[in-house]
Amino acid sequence: MDFELTAGQKLIYDTAREFCERELIPHEALLERTGELPHELDLDIRRKGMEIGLHACNMPESIGGGGLDCVSMTLVEKGLSRASTALAECVRRPNNILAACGGEQVAHFLEPVMRGEKRECIAMSERDAGSDLRGMKTRAVKEGSDWVIDGTKHLIGNARHSQFVILFAVTGEDQTPTGIKKRISCFLVDLDTPGLIVAKGYEQLGHRGHSNDILHFDNVRVGGWQMVGEEGEGFKVVNDWLGAGRLSVAAVCQARAERAFEVAADYAAQRRQLGQPIGKFQGIGFPLADMAIDIRLGDLLLMNTAWRVDQKFPSVAQDCAMAKVWCSEMLGRVADQAIQTCGGMGLMTDLPLERIYRDARAERIWEGTSEIQRHIISRELMRERGA
């Protein structure tokens, strides 16, 4: 078993990490202070990311993307995600659902995204439909060749900074042996479509500059050409995306945990009490050892999962769920202990730890809560045993 990265993989990671250190992290203080990312800065970072080939590196080469495999993309996510989410997202990695675009969708949505001219957001969650996506109430009713959409989506990341939304809505119902089952379909909808309102969302704990918004659909009319895939096949579309999204969250968490640990370990080596570095005291040194073990296990699970995705193992949904649970919960432990290691200074904005600590809490919720991930894992365990 060879766990060594290839020369190409090392180059990919080093490129992303160096870009993060040079172009992203220096702006974190501004982002934390103002809560907003200046539009000009967003454009500048996006342009620089395009110049070195990071823009759309997750998308297939056949549509102008970088065509990176899952291992390489995971390394890119790790490299960029040492910085705040809003900054890391200036380097666009478009939602891979867009690779399914066809017909008129290509020129109107996909190609502008690939050129860096448009940005998408994704809308699934509603107040009464989070973990239970089939509970969504937003509906699309067919009228002639068009669809008319009504409903409300909330907790939509960066809708106010996007030009169109990947929307999931109910388009019908089927009678099944277990009862009525909603048919979910996927649409691409311009955010300036009449009847669609982007409203300011909620004040949140962390992730400064990464907005959560509310989308109101009131008699919003879209063309039939704006549906992605076939009617009622929305979950088939989204299932292809969920695994990648969950693995991306795991990579983000791994990167933040590594950064928090580095800050804490450096502080423990430099801060002296009673004539020696505090890291030499077991009360500091042993927790650092536990953090290092946690991080090593997270990295092994993360990269092995990415490798299994590339090898097309049949149980990758379970693997991605495992990686997301471990890395997101591990980040919470590491961020907390990193602050404890640095004492009062860990709570100060001079260090990135208090921000990493705040931001970490969301990772156990979005892209599927830890409870949903455990459901996926346990369900697969029972299926393997015929139960």
Side-chain angles (χ1 to χ4, degrees):
M1 298 177 71
D2 185 0
F3 293 95
E4 186 70 18
L5 296 178
T6 66
Q9 290 166 342
K10 288 178 182 177
L11 178 62
I12 286 169
Y13 177 68
D14 289 344
T15 298
R17 178 162 175 169
E18 289 169 5
F19 185 89
C20 178
E21 298 289 341
R22 183 178 68 252
E23 303 293 347
L24 306 184
I25 288 178
H27 302 295
E28 283 181 334
L30 171 67
L31 188 61
E32 287 297 304
R33 187 171 65 253
T34 64
E36 292 288 342
L37 188 68
H39 182 61
E40 297 75 14
L41 178 59
D42 181 4
L43 292 177
D44 185 56
I45 293 173
R46 187 190 319 174
R47 176 184 58 78
K48 290 176 178 176
M50 295 180 78
E51 288 174 353
I52 61 172
L54 290 175
H55 177 83
C57 57
N58 61 313
M59 300 295 273
E61 286 184 290
S62 59
I63 58 175
L68 295 186
D69 59 18
C70 191
V71 168
S72 298
M73 267 311 305
T74 300
L75 293 170
V76 169
E77 294 290 351
K78 273 189 64 180
L80 294 175
S81 298
R82 290 171 63 84
S84 301
T85 297
L87 287 162
E89 289 185 349
C90 291
V91 181
R92 302 282 193 264
R93 282 89 76 205
N95 192 298
N96 60 6
I97 289 174
L98 296 175
C101 282
E104 296 176 61
Q105 298 167 358
V106 174
H108 190 82
F109 295 109
L110 178 60
E111 290 179 350
V113 166
M114 299 303 293
R115 294 193 298 266
E117 297 167 0
K118 286 186 178 181
R119 179 177 184 171
E120 80 288 354
C121 59
I122 185 165
M124 291 189 288
S125 295
E126 300 176 9
R127 281 188 177 274
D128 297 320
S131 297
D132 176 21
L133 288 175
R134 285 199 185 273
M136 69 175 60
K137 297 177 182 177
T138 298
R139 284 187 171 272
V141 177
K142 193 168 179 60
E143 290 190 3
S145 61
D146 295 340
W147 293 85
V148 178
I149 304 168
D150 288 280
T152 298
K153 299 287 185 178
H154 83 149
L155 299 177
I156 309 307
N158 282 326
R160 74 185 71 167
H161 303 302
S162 301
Q163 284 70 51
F164 68 95
V165 57
I166 302 170
L167 172 73
F168 290 84
V170 179
T171 52
E173 295 177 341
D174 294 317
Q175 185 67 49
T176 72
T178 57
I180 294 176
K181 183 178 180 181
K182 292 178 179 177
R183 294 200 305 274
I184 309 295
S185 300
C186 178
F187 298 88
L188 303 179
V189 185
D190 291 306
L191 289 173
D192 60 0
T193 303
L196 200 171
I197 297 173
V198 180
K200 187 178 185 296
Y202 314 93
E203 297 297 329
Q204 57 193 19
L205 174 66
H207 292 287
R208 301 286 188 262
H210 183 276
S211 66
N212 69 83
D213 301 306
I214 301 171
L215 301 182
H216 298 290
F217 295 83
D218 182 9
N219 204 38
V220 174
R221 183 175 294 271
V222 300
W225 65 272
Q226 291 174 249
M227 179 182 286
V228 180
E230 298 298 321
E231 190 269 329
E233 292 189 352
F235 275 164
K236 181 179 183 299
V237 173
V238 79
N239 282 337
D240 294 337
W241 165 72
L242 280 175
R246 288 164 179 166
L247 195 59
S248 175
V249 171
V252 168
C253 294
Q254 184 67 29
R256 304 262 172 81
E258 290 177 6
R259 186 177 175 193
F261 173 76
E262 291 162 11
V263 170
D266 289 345
Y267 187 89
Q270 297 163 13
R271 168 78 165 153
R272 299 180 68 86
Q273 290 286 278
L274 303 175
Q276 64 179 0
I278 62 173
K280 289 191 174 182
F281 294 106
Q282 291 181 354
I284 299 294
F286 284 10
L288 284 172
D290 289 338
M291 293 160 69
I293 294 168
D294 261 359
I295 289 170
R296 176 69 68 84
L297 289 172
D299 199 47
L300 289 171
L301 178 58
L302 173 69
M303 299 311 301
N304 177 256
T305 299
W307 176 80
R308 288 171 68 87
V309 170
D310 283 335
Q311 301 305 312
K312 303 189 185 306
F313 274 68
S315 60
V316 292
Q318 182 189 41
D319 296 327
C320 291
M322 287 182 176
K324 197 221 179 237
V325 167
W326 177 266
C327 291
S328 63
E329 296 186 354
M330 176 270 292
L331 171 59
R333 295 192 297 271
V334 169
D336 181 76
Q337 187 55 55
I339 288 177
Q340 196 70 17
T341 299
C342 297
M345 284 305 301
L347 300 171
M348 302 299 116
T349 57
D350 298 67
L351 299 178
L353 299 180
E354 57 87 24
R355 176 186 59 76
I356 292 174
Y357 179 82
R358 284 186 283 108
D359 290 352
R361 190 59 186 86
E363 310 299 342
R364 288 155 50 194
I365 297 176
W366 55 19
E367 306 296 349
T369 64
S370 290
E371 290 76 17
I372 288 294
Q373 308 309 320
R374 286 184 166 89
H375 170 68
I376 293 169
I377 296 164
S378 61
R379 181 183 61 192
E380 188 63 31
L381 292 174
M382 291 299 99
R383 282 177 176 170
E384 291 170 358
R385 288 157 177 80

